[in-house]
Amino acid sequence: MQLLDVFLPSLLIGLSIAAPVGPIGILAIQRTLDHGARAGLATGLGAATADAVYGALGAWGVHWLIQMLVAVRVPLALAGAAFLLWMAWKIARAPAARHAAGAGPVRSGWQHFASTFALTLANPATVLSFIAIFGAMAGRVAVSAPATMVAGVFLGSAGWWVFLSGAVGLLRERFDAGWHRRINLTSAVALAAFAVWQILAVL
């Protein structure tokens, strides 16, 4: 019962961190519309894996690594903002997607995963929130619970991305090239705005 008491709150933590609309959500929607539900899911799973990594650091209390990440949170934030600006530029210049069956190499899914994984790791807010939440929870539960906590947060986050990519994927064919172009431009502007906000927040 104790493990279940740990797993369910961790599941909700993962879901609550993934669900709010942010740069990762925008990327997942844009990539699903352009490349299909698998690309959107790969994007989301990259973020979920990064959430699990930071959850593990907070749960197991890897203090030296936590202190190092906190110390370099400003360079991390600036690197993440630069990456967001680059993504915004790429999306703004991309042509409207073509819905060809089987379009896009299998490898692209790993590229989507890796880019989002790196972007989420570079978000200092993610570092600090997981350190605080998991550090507090780990102090009240058994030594065996951290693995359950990390699994819960990963599954909660991943569940949201499965839902989002699946829902957007079902609507994908309803959008013509003109709509895709407008969505790409809107996504690019939103990502650039998140990047500027992140720069201002750390400076």
Side-chain angles (χ1 to χ4, degrees):
M1 284 299 295
Q2 186 182 31
L3 291 181
L4 188 61
D5 290 341
V6 172
F7 178 78
L8 292 179
S10 301
L11 195 73
L12 291 176
I13 289 170
L15 179 61
S16 64
I17 287 176
V21 176
I24 305 302
I26 291 170
L27 276 177
I29 292 170
Q30 188 270 332
R31 286 173 175 174
T32 300
L33 290 173
D34 272 9
H35 306 292
R38 289 185 180 180
L41 180 58
T43 298
L45 289 180
T49 304
D51 288 345
V53 169
Y54 277 140
L57 293 180
W60 274 288
V62 186
H63 298 294
W64 67 269
L65 187 52
I66 290 173
Q67 291 172 356
M68 184 186 74
L69 289 170
V70 171
V72 298
R73 64 186 183 277
V74 172
L76 276 177
L78 294 177
F83 187 72
L84 281 176
L85 289 173
W86 178 75
M87 289 296 303
W89 178 75
K90 274 194 69 176
I91 291 171
R93 294 180 66 250
R98 296 184 300 274
H99 292 171
V106 175
R107 179 179 147 194
S108 67
W110 288 106
Q111 291 173 340
H112 295 322
F113 177 93
S115 64
T116 314
F117 178 77
L119 182 59
T120 307
L121 285 181
N123 186 349
T126 308
V127 184
L128 299 175
S129 61
F130 273 112
I131 290 171
I133 294 171
F134 274 63
M137 288 181 66
R140 302 197 308 267
V141 298
V143 176
S144 60
T148 306
M149 295 161 62
V150 174
V153 88
F154 174 80
L155 292 175
S157 181
W160 169 254
W161 298 119
V162 169
F163 167 77
L164 182 66
S165 59
V168 176
L170 290 175
L171 300 174
R172 183 181 179 224
E173 298 298 331
R174 297 177 180 268
F175 296 97
D176 59 17
W179 270 104
H180 272 264
R181 181 62 183 157
R182 286 190 286 271
I183 290 169
N184 280 355
L185 289 175
T186 302
S187 300
V189 170
L191 290 176
F194 275 114
V196 171
W197 176 82
Q198 187 158 310
I199 292 170
L200 293 176
V202 297
L203 296 181

